[in-house]
Amino acid sequence: MDEPMQPIDAYGILKLDASATAEDIRRAYHQAARDHHPDRRKAGESDMHFIQVQRAWEALREPDARRQYDAQKRLETMLEEQALASLSDVTLDDMTHIQDPNGNYWQYPCRCGDWYELTEDQRDEGINIVACSSCTFAIRILEDIPGINKERAHPPAS
């Protein structure tokens, strides 16, 4: 069975910004296609780069396809911003540290009655957004995660 296609950043793949002209897109596609063509690739490089270049070209080459791609990206950005705005901010100090023989983790109560859980492996990977396993709520962990400001959390806006 075929796997579903993953979303791509068509402009990023072609090293363009969204204000690129049709001619800019055409030139960037031809350059990227030459650079990543299977006949010219380096040893060990997969076909994936070339496939991504082809998908980017398909998304941007026709004006209607480009308008649809741009609209989808704007929608994704809006939904992401809404999701981030609805997160509750907590710190590790706000969470309970659980020592377990199967792996230590932190937990925090969810409004639905279940728990948010952050494992030490997730923390080490820099994961700072944790979803509840029983509902659609999520929290953002602000303290003591690499790359995240060590500020005190503030309660979510009601």
Side-chain angles (χ1 to χ4, degrees):
M1 179 160 60
D2 290 338
E3 291 184 28
M5 285 196 186
Q6 296 298 316
I8 62 165
D9 174 10
Y11 293 108
I13 290 167
L14 297 177
K15 298 180 179 149
L16 297 168
D17 61 36
S19 65
T21 66
E23 182 60 22
D24 294 336
I25 292 168
R26 187 189 68 76
R27 265 192 252 115
Y29 162 71
H30 285 287
Q31 182 63 50
R34 275 191 302 273
D35 292 347
H36 297 290
H37 194 277
D39 292 342
R40 298 183 60 172
R41 72 173 180 246
K42 299 173 182 108
E45 188 178 55
S46 75
D47 289 338
M48 186 51 67
H49 293 296
F50 187 70
I51 291 168
Q52 288 179 332
V53 168
Q54 298 295 19
R55 288 183 59 206
W57 173 242
E58 290 299 318
L60 301 176
R61 74 179 180 161
E62 298 292 331
D64 287 341
R66 183 178 181 184
R67 276 192 292 279
Q68 183 177 354
Y69 174 82
D70 289 344
Q72 180 65 33
K73 286 299 181 184
R74 282 192 302 276
L75 177 62
E76 289 171 9
T77 299
M78 253 179 24
L79 292 173
E80 185 176 302
E81 288 170 356
Q82 287 176 342
L84 288 174
S86 68
L87 293 175
S88 298
D89 294 339
V90 299
T91 68
L92 285 179
D93 291 341
D94 298 326
M95 300 177 80
T96 303
H97 188 252
I98 308 293
Q99 294 184 341
D100 187 285
N102 295 323
N104 298 336
Y105 60 96
W106 289 264
Q107 75 180 184
Y108 187 80
C110 180
R111 293 178 275 179
C112 76
D114 204 348
W115 297 90
Y116 300 104
E117 294 183 349
L118 174 73
T119 67
E120 285 187 346
D121 288 341
Q122 289 171 320
R123 179 176 174 257
D124 292 343
E125 292 170 14
I127 292 175
N128 70 322
I129 296 178
V130 180
C132 177
S133 60
S134 297
C135 68
T136 60
F137 296 130
I139 58 173
R140 177 176 33 216
I141 303 164
L142 297 178
E143 192 170 307
D144 201 23
I145 299 285
I148 303 298
N149 291 335
K150 292 187 174 207
E151 60 189 53
R152 285 295 301 169
H154 56 280
S158 299

